[in-house]
Amino acid sequence: MSTPTAEQLPVVVIGAGPVGLAAAAHLVERGIEPLVLETGPSAATAVRDWSHVRLFSTWAELVDPAAEKLLAPTGWIRPDGSAYPTGGDWAERYLQPLADVLGTRVRFGTTVTGVARAGRDRIVDSGRDEQPFTVHLAHADGREERITARAVMDASGTWSVPGPIGADGLPALGERTAVERISYRVPDLKDPAVRARYAGRRTAVVGSGASAFTALASLADLARDEDGTHAVWVLRRGIGAGTYGGGEADELPARGALGLRAKAAVEAGHATAATGFRTEAVERDSDGRLVLVAEDGRRLDPVDEIIVLTGFRPDLSFLSEIRLGLDERLQAPTALAPLIDPNVHSCGTVYPHGVNELSHPEKDIYLVGMKSYGRAPTFLAMTGYEQVRSIAASLAGDQEAAERVELTLPETGVCGGAGLFDDSRDPGDLGDPGDFGGPGATRSGDGGGCCAAPATLRIGIGAPAAPSGGGC
């Protein structure tokens, strides 16, 4: 039996979420065979976890062009482009049908446990680039398998690693032992069991991005129906002009409206804000309720529940034998990090990018989608679609197409600048649920806001200058 050539091997795509499935569609369009590996039992497992959350991107911004071409012959009907789907809508009406049309190219119940070069650990130089990748798998039934790939696109996202309460990036003292009273997701208050958990109770919401806005707005709605329901909004910064996002000036109107709902919750007294509060510990009072303690010694009044929405992080554990070039702060590719760093962008641009910015010292492996942004915010689904289009073109040998992009991104409307080190991050719309474009699909953490100004350019050829002044 002959050994397959590199061109005969598949490109492994890790994750059957929005960007992973778009990657497969672009590879098919280029005549390259993809193999999508998904831990969950169906497409978009992470998106389904926040199925109750409405996105703040419209359908027009959530359907990848190459994916639509694959779906069209099946009789698939594109949803109204001006409507805002929930995560559940996105999964059922687009992502699952896309996985279905890809057929056996998508494997479910399959977890990637490691990626390496065949016969080479990360130390070995000799002949490294000529070797294919080996991808180690664990199946739901306990079987293990190793497959070979010509390239790897990791679109596994960040959903599985939420940020902790602790302001230093580590779990607060007592956080682990109080885990039964802590949630790291936006609650679905339409679920009777979840509603009962928060009704008539005092809940701390930790975080300052769109996910926190969603939780605050939902708890305010609950407070109007259930006496005694109250939210304590814990922010590591103060409240300023940019705290609630872009409002009516946001080019993603649904996101702007979400920030205004959070503001209304505070102004109506359904939520109170604890500002400049960097949590060090979670303690219990004599009644067993939870008390948040700040690094400066302040103690909040006891709460019954805590909702932690401080962002997400990439899981890099299964890539330990691969030579990645990552920024030491953001854990994003080194060429991409300066474009998205919330520490330096006051109102800079996050312009469309692709294969050049996403390359690593290890040839032909790419982190794409939410995972490519590491811990940085403001990622849009259509940015991920551009990433994988560019990479697929490069793998097909079409470098001109790989470096060309015509994509205009909306302004984020969050232009507070780096400011104090504890300014909030507004993760954009693909992420908590993943910054794919939804109020709850965003990661909220700490850092500065960053706006993406409209841009059309060639990927990797040059960036537009950041606007001067403070306005977006």
Side-chain angles (χ1 to χ4, degrees), residues 27-379:
L27 290 167
V28 169
E29 188 174 53
R30 286 285 181 173
I32 300 172
E33 192 64 17
L35 177 59
V36 183
L37 304 173
E38 167 60 42
T39 298
S42 61
T45 301
V47 174
R48 293 175 191 274
D49 277 354
W50 47 272
S51 60
H52 59 290
V53 176
R54 189 165 301 280
L55 285 87
F56 49 65
S57 286
T58 63
W59 273 113
E61 298 161 320
L62 296 170
V63 175
D64 175 78
E68 187 169 8
K69 290 178 184 177
L70 277 182
L71 287 165
T74 69
W76 179 79
I77 299 174
R78 182 187 178 105
D80 176 5
S82 64
Y84 295 91
T86 62
D89 295 333
W90 201 18
E92 291 298 329
R93 299 179 62 187
Y94 167 60
L95 297 171
Q96 189 62 53
L98 179 54
D100 292 343
V101 78
L102 287 165
T104 56
R105 296 182 175 106
V106 184
R107 294 189 192 176
F108 300 108
T110 305
T111 300
V112 174
T113 58
V115 180
R117 286 286 186 182
R120 310 288 192 276
D121 63 22
R122 69 182 295 155
I123 299 174
V124 178
D125 292 331
S126 178
R128 188 175 190 87
D129 285 350
E130 289 71 44
Q131 298 302 312
F133 290 97
T134 56
V135 182
H136 291 239
L137 312 177
H139 295 278
D141 60 6
R143 291 183 300 111
E144 294 183 330
E145 182 184 0
R146 189 179 82 165
I147 61 176
T148 309
R150 62 175 285 194
V152 176
M153 298 169 68
D154 181 359
S156 60
T158 58
W159 181 247
S160 63
V161 190
I165 299 175
D168 57 3
L170 298 174
L173 300 176
E175 181 173 348
R176 292 187 179 94
T177 58
V179 68
E180 80 282 356
R181 307 279 285 279
I182 301 174
S183 171
Y184 297 86
R185 305 287 188 259
V186 176
D188 180 5
L189 296 182
K190 293 181 180 179
D191 181 318
V194 177
R195 186 180 180 89
R197 177 175 178 175
Y198 297 100
R201 300 194 175 191
R202 182 178 168 88
T203 300
V205 177
V206 185
S208 51
S211 295
F213 293 168
T214 303
L216 289 169
S218 297
L219 289 170
D221 290 342
L222 181 61
R224 295 184 185 98
D225 298 331
E226 300 285 349
D227 291 341
T229 303
H230 189 78
V232 180
W233 187 17
V234 181
L235 300 99
R236 297 172 188 170
R237 67 169 187 173
I239 292 181
T243 298
Y244 298 101
E248 295 178 358
D250 199 316
E251 286 197 9
L252 295 175
R255 181 174 55 192
L258 180 64
L260 295 178
R261 286 184 66 200
K263 183 178 181 181
V266 173
E267 292 178 345
H270 298 307
T272 54
T275 60
F277 195 97
R278 291 179 281 278
T279 305
E280 179 180 86
V282 180
E283 299 180 353
R284 293 181 185 266
D285 70 2
S286 58
D287 296 324
R289 301 176 79 197
L290 303 180
V291 177
L292 293 179
V293 183
E295 291 177 345
D296 61 9
R298 281 185 293 160
R299 304 171 66 88
L300 297 184
D301 290 339
V303 297
D304 302 290
E305 299 284 341
I306 302 175
I307 299 172
V308 184
L309 301 168
T310 55
F312 291 81
R313 291 121 180 248
D315 177 7
L316 302 169
S317 61
F318 59 87
L319 301 174
S320 62
E321 294 306 316
I322 293 297
R323 298 175 177 179
L324 299 177
L326 298 176
D327 179 78
E328 67 274 10
R329 295 163 300 160
L330 300 185
Q331 295 179 300
T334 51
L336 176 61
L339 314 179
I340 61 176
D341 186 354
N343 289 297
V344 298
H345 283 291
S346 59
C347 188
T349 58
V350 179
Y351 66 90
H353 54 273
V355 66
N356 290 345
E357 291 86 351
L358 297 170
S359 293
H360 293 275
E362 194 83 68
K363 181 183 176 185
D364 291 337
I365 186 162
Y366 304 96
L367 310 185
V368 298
M370 280 298 303
K371 193 160 186 177
S372 72
Y373 268 42
R375 299 192 186 196
T378 320
F379 185 93

